[in-house]
Amino acid sequence: MNSEPQLDGSLNFVVDEAEAGARLDLFLAGKLPQFSRSQLRRVINATGAKVGGERAKASHKLRAGEVVSFVPGEPPREAPMAEEIPLTILYEDDDLAVVDKPPNMVVHPAQGQWAGTLTGALQFHFNQLSAVGGATRPGIVHRLDRDTSGVILVAKNDAAHLKLAAQFEARSVEKQYFAIVSGRLDRDRDVIEEPIGPHPYQREKMAIRREHRDARDASTFYEVAERFAGFTAVHLRPRTGRTHQIRVHLAHIGAAVLCDKMYGGRSRITRGELLGTDDDELLLDRQALHAVRLKLKHPTTGEPLELESPLPADIQCVLEALRSGASAAS
């Protein structure tokens, strides 16, 4: 599959058999996670996408073997304002930066959330950011959910952005996460392979959608790190990059991420609820999911890069409480 930037700045993708029948905008949403679907539709309608060399609508149904050409960009919109928000920079050079995203931070502005975003903080901290993702997503190559913390990659120029996006699309970037889940996983390791698509009733959610025309293949490898009474700590390596993939896959096997309100039904937990005591100390009020590591090739030098973020204090606190409970019970 050719996803290298062409001389005209376009990215080309060949539709495979599994992707046949998908809408053009949903197909591109799977290839370019730095764009929202509404952005993609605007770009497509502004002649930013062609199928087989011809203009196509966002609703165009793709056939196997067709070549989709996409020119990144977006009609001008209000850009996020620079905000002096502290950021932990894990790595930086002329082409990219790697940030340790805190929990409870939206990556890019959206309706009802224009302040306090990662893009606003990036605008303050860096003199230059790529414009490939559009005015509201300067520098954003990939995304993390609001309450997921950890490693996130930022492009400083368009050339680097396109090459990094091509690595994500080709699935050559290795992503590793850490989670604490509700429930006890019996297998030490396994691969969850279930297609993910829009939830049939709730717009903000995703769901396992077998044989649904808008579903996309999704694969997540997990390995148990520690087991506790009623909870499990796991390492995860998603092999695809679908929206909410890890959260949907874990909930599907009966092990929802701890404090994942959307897929697990609760948004906070106290020490007493964790250990079965009367202690009402709040330990966690966001999903226990952390992006630990990214492995990729530098977009300019081709040298391997491995960037890592330590577990944040709130997840560490939950782990220590679980370990203390296990020690007391033994």
Side-chain angles (χ1 to χ4, degrees), residues 40-315:
L40 287 168
R41 283 192 289 271
R42 282 192 291 272
V43 177
I44 292 167
N45 292 335
T47 73
K50 294 181 179 180
V51 178
E54 301 291 334
R55 288 185 56 183
K57 295 181 179 180
S59 59
H60 174 83
K61 297 296 180 62
L62 296 167
R63 297 191 300 269
E66 286 186 316
V67 177
V68 176
S69 299
F70 179 77
V71 180
E74 185 188 17
R77 287 183 58 187
E78 182 182 358
M81 293 184 62
E83 296 182 77
E84 190 174 358
I85 301 172
L87 286 179
T88 299
I89 310 299
L90 300 171
Y91 175 87
E92 181 182 3
D93 62 27
D94 292 338
D95 294 306
L96 59 90
V98 180
V99 175
D100 193 359
K101 187 185 92 66
N104 197 33
M105 175 182 273
V106 174
V107 170
H108 53 74
Q111 186 174 0
Q113 181 69 61
W114 280 88
T117 66
L118 177 63
T119 51
L122 295 175
Q123 293 276 57
F124 177 86
H125 285 275
F126 301 109
N127 294 325
Q128 180 182 345
L129 294 166
S130 75
V132 169
T136 62
R137 290 168 166 78
I140 301 301
V141 181
H142 65 118
R143 292 175 288 180
L144 294 177
D145 296 334
R146 175 180 185 142
D147 284 337
T148 300
S149 53
V151 180
I152 192 165
L153 186 63
V154 177
K156 289 188 173 182
N157 56 68
D158 290 358
H161 192 138
L162 289 171
K163 291 179 180 178
L164 291 167
Q167 289 188 56
F168 277 92
E169 191 277 326
R171 302 180 184 176
S172 60
V173 177
E174 183 177 317
K175 298 168 284 185
Q176 183 173 325
Y177 291 74
F178 179 88
I180 302 172
V181 303
S182 299
R184 187 176 175 88
L185 294 169
D186 294 331
R187 297 184 179 183
D188 290 339
R189 60 190 61 82
D190 200 2
V191 177
I192 308 168
E193 293 185 303
E194 292 286 357
I196 292 175
H199 193 281
Y201 312 116
Q202 297 172 271
R203 290 181 55 191
E204 71 277 9
K205 293 181 69 172
M206 305 298 285
I208 303 299
R209 303 298 301 276
R210 301 187 187 96
E211 300 179 3
H212 189 276
R213 66 182 185 181
D214 292 334
R216 305 297 306 281
D217 67 291
S219 177
T220 305
F221 170 83
Y222 75 81
E223 184 171 26
V224 171
E226 294 181 70
R227 289 186 175 91
F228 308 97
F231 303 93
T232 308
V234 291
H235 299 295
L236 302 124
R237 290 201 300 272
R239 296 170 177 172
T240 50
R242 310 306 178 206
T243 301
H244 298 177
Q245 176 176 316
I246 289 174
R247 298 162 63 193
V248 172
H249 271 174
L250 287 172
H252 175 70
I253 64 171
V257 175
L258 182 63
C259 294
D260 183 349
K261 184 177 182 179
M262 183 174 290
Y263 297 105
R266 69 182 306 156
S267 60
R268 65 196 302 276
I269 196 164
T270 64
R271 185 180 294 273
E273 291 170 322
L274 200 67
L275 302 177
T277 68
D278 295 329
D279 193 331
D280 61 359
E281 177 191 359
L282 180 65
L283 291 187
L284 191 68
D285 60 358
R286 59 96 172 192
Q287 61 206 27
L289 182 61
H290 181 70
V292 176
R293 185 177 296 109
L294 278 179
K295 291 183 181 179
L296 64 151
K297 289 184 178 180
H298 192 280
T300 300
T301 67
E303 293 295 316
L305 280 178
E306 183 172 346
L307 299 314
E308 187 169 347
S309 166
L311 288 181
D314 56 355
I315 292 180

Side-chain angles (χ1 to χ4, degrees), residues 10-55:
S10 67
L11 292 170
N12 290 342
F13 308 100
V14 179
V15 181
D16 62 30
E17 292 286 348
E19 296 164 329
R23 287 170 51 110
L24 175 59
D25 55 350
L26 293 175
F27 171 83
L28 287 171
K31 303 295 183 183
L32 300 164
Q34 69 270 27
F35 289 87
S36 70
R37 291 180 191 172
S38 60
Q39 277 187 310
L40 287 168
R41 283 192 289 271
R42 282 192 291 272
V43 177
I44 292 167
N45 292 335
T47 73
K50 294 181 179 180
V51 178
E54 301 291 334
R55 288 185 56 183

